[in-house]
Amino acid sequence: MAEPTVLQRWKRFTLEEKVHTLPNGLETPHITLAHPGAVLILPVANDGKLVLLRQYRPSIEAWIYEFPAGTLENAEDILECAKRELAEEAKLSATEWHSLGESLPAPGFCNESQYLYLAKNLAHADAEMDEDEVIEVVHFSVEDVKSMIINNEIRDSKTIVAFCRAQLMGLIT
């Protein structure tokens, strides 16, 4: 199997081109955004409200609502990454963690796996946010989040996937 050609590197991401042999035998070049993986945390506050971030995203030049999330660093343990991101972005720690599974956000061009968690028994945590993150921490009821998804106020796919999984698993009602 041929090694991919690296077209571009940026932070922990690479744009790679490689010839693939498809299941039907066709050989075709394909470009993949190689991603180290990410975590998303659905924090449930002690009063039952869900903790979201109102975050400015330069790629879309807009503020969006999303659950805390972040990219894995250098073979970092997945749960440790989730704990770090919850502390950095929401200034919270949790003593109860539930896996919500894994999601593939854009498998047509990116190999990223997103590992989803629900966090409970929250407490304040001190951690430094990345300097390029512009974030406001907000709390909403489960019903409010449902309405925000239905009304397209929450458009972030990883947030919607985690919310739906948590509901289907009976972890939030």
Side-chain angles (χ1 to χ4, degrees):
M1 182 181 287
E3 290 294 314
T5 300
V6 175
L7 303 174
Q8 183 71 39
R9 288 186 194 282
W10 181 75
K11 291 188 177 184
R12 292 178 297 257
F13 313 105
T14 57
L15 195 60
E16 302 174 348
E17 184 174 32
K18 180 178 170 182
V19 175
H20 289 267
T21 303
L22 302 179
N24 64 2
L26 177 68
E27 287 191 0
T28 184
H30 184 79
I31 295 176
T32 299
L33 176 62
H35 191 292
V39 296
L40 174 132
I41 308 95
L42 188 167
V44 180
N46 298 336
D47 64 1
K49 289 190 175 181
L50 307 183
V51 180
L52 283 95
L53 307 177
R54 183 174 177 265
Q55 184 165 1
Y56 184 79
R57 292 296 192 173
S59 293
I60 59 170
E61 299 181 355
W63 290 87
I64 63 170
Y65 290 105
E66 59 188 299
F67 292 125
T71 303
L72 291 162
E73 295 181 359
N74 305 324
E76 180 178 27
D77 177 79
I78 295 167
L79 183 56
E80 289 306 310
C81 179
K83 291 177 180 179
R84 177 179 54 78
E85 289 293 341
L86 182 62
E88 287 176 4
E89 293 190 344
K91 304 293 185 228
L92 295 169
S93 64
T95 59
E96 186 179 337
W97 291 85
H98 300 272
S99 174
L100 300 175
E102 184 180 344
S103 180
L104 302 172
F109 68 88
C110 183
N111 67 356
E112 177 184 9
S113 288
Q114 295 176 341
Y115 303 93
L116 313 174
Y117 290 93
L118 181 136
K120 286 185 169 183
N121 296 324
L122 304 181
H124 177 76
D126 287 318
E128 290 295 318
M129 190 180 307
D130 292 341
E131 69 178 31
D132 64 346
E133 293 178 314
V134 181
I135 294 173
E136 298 171 8
V137 177
V138 292
H139 294 227
F140 293 103
S141 70
V142 171
E143 287 303 315
D144 287 342
V145 172
K146 278 185 198 176
S147 294
M148 293 168 77
I149 291 170
I150 290 167
N151 295 325
N152 209 37
E153 294 172 70
I154 294 178
R155 300 179 292 151
D156 178 62
S157 62
K158 66 189 178 304
T159 295
I160 295 168
V161 168
F163 180 83
C164 291
R165 288 239 181 116
Q167 282 223 301
L168 291 168
M169 294 169 76
L171 296 170
I172 57 173
T173 54

